[in-house]
Amino acid sequence: MASRFFSSVQYGKETTRGTAVAATKILLGKVPAVNTDRKPVIPDENVGIRAKGVRSVIHQYLYNNTLSTEHGYFQQLPMLFGCGLKGGVTASEVTPSQADYLWTFTPSLTAANSPDSLTIELGDDVQFFETEYCMFERIRISGTIAQSMDASPVNVEADFFGRQLTATTKTGALSLTTAEPMNAKLARFYLDTAWSGVGGTEKTNILRGFDIEIITGVHPKFDGSANKYFDSYGEGIISATAQFTFEGDSNANAIMTAQQAKTFQVVRLAILGSQIGSGTTHSLKIDIGGVWESVSPLGGEDRADNLHTATLVDHYDATGAKNIQVLVTTNSNAY
């Protein structure tokens, strides 16, 4: 009998996109349902019997699924952004000999970002499956700051596609990651008027919750060939939407004023962790430039305290020449 506690997801970075590799790391989180990678079609044909069809065909393969880690951790982030926003990024050690590696994911809006790809394995003690050429289409980072002693985890969710699903043997003898958790209570909100000043102005005592969704634009491309799976990938529009819940104070009211005036602003959400050796701390910094699409004073209420809800949508800024960037610092320089 298959056991839930023997279920897992693990992955390995591919050297050549589409050429499957053995897994090298275990992903912490819940194992999703193993979806199918193909859909049979029964042609509606008339052959002299009272039946809708007499044969089935399968034309193409594509595997789609979502990886979700309710209690997200910093070490998983380079893999997500490297296989979604920008590939080929080399992490740099901030403090010599302290293993505090900074990953900078600033996607180009005019040239190829060449995202990396993964082979993902998932299954249980009865059967494991693998799918190659995996890349991330959507990455979501969200969290709510508990108003008690309850947990405030940061949820990490990522939609991916892969070529096909194949029964396989699980890669064994992998060690668990010593994970540094992300804590929404340690999230900080910054608001500036230009990319040149991003992260310079912190708005304190305002942030209650956040939900950031990044659409990477990466997608599979099917062309006529000898195979039923997709042949290559494409890079489309990169976009981001950030939803926030704020304390209903003067800072939140100023954001509404900016929304009414369609004022360009650059937001930074920074989530910090513990110090790495004697170097810098684990951190995730998501920077988005754009305008506030909507701001709703009295959009929520907590124990008689009014809350604002606000949504920022990105747009390109010619002076800063970008719309989004992500900075990750953690104690790993590979994924």
Side-chain angles (χ1 to χ4, degrees), residues 40-47 51-59:
V41 175
I42 301 174
D44 188 353
E45 298 170 318
N46 304 124
V47 294
K52 184 177 181 179
V54 294
R55 60 190 177 120
S56 64
V57 294
I58 295 175
H59 287 123

Side-chain angles (χ1 to χ4, degrees), residues 74-231:
F74 291 98
Q75 288 87 350
Q76 75 184 116
L77 299 174
M79 173 266 292
L80 297 177
F81 293 112
C83 296
L85 271 186
K86 187 175 182 63
V89 174
T90 300
S92 59
E93 192 173 35
V94 180
T95 309
S97 303
Q98 295 306 305
D100 53 345
Y101 297 104
L102 172 63
W103 299 77
T104 301
F105 300 100
T106 305
S108 172
L109 303 180
T110 58
N113 289 296
S114 303
D116 298 319
S117 64
L118 304 173
T119 297
I120 294 177
E121 298 179 3
L122 66 168
D124 56 24
D125 53 321
V126 172
Q127 183 62 64
F128 243 69
F129 302 89
E130 73 174 12
T131 179
E132 74 276 15
Y133 215 143
C134 295
M135 307 171 88
F136 295 101
E137 302 172 287
R138 183 185 71 101
I139 302 170
R140 180 185 177 197
I141 308 290
S142 61
T144 299
I145 300 167
Q147 299 301 303
S148 64
M149 64 180 292
D150 293 333
S152 299
V154 175
N155 181 61
V156 178
E157 185 178 277
D159 296 343
F160 71 92
F161 62 83
R163 265 189 170 166
Q164 60 188 334
L165 193 68
T166 306
T168 190
T169 300
K170 175 183 179 181
T171 301
L174 298 183
S175 300
L176 286 171
T177 298
T178 301
E180 173 69 19
M182 290 190 285
N183 180 356
K185 180 60 181 71
L186 300 180
R188 299 165 71 171
F189 177 75
Y190 298 80
L191 187 61
D192 292 284
T193 58
W195 278 104
S196 58
V198 62
T201 307
E202 183 176 6
K203 301 298 183 180
T204 59
N205 302 322
I206 181 175
L207 185 64
R208 284 291 193 97
F210 53 88
D211 191 334
I212 297 177
E213 182 178 79
I214 298 171
I215 303 300
T216 67
V218 182
H219 56 274
K221 296 175 66 174
F222 291 84
D223 300 300
S225 69
N227 302 301
K228 292 185 178 181
Y229 49 67
F230 67 85
D231 302 275

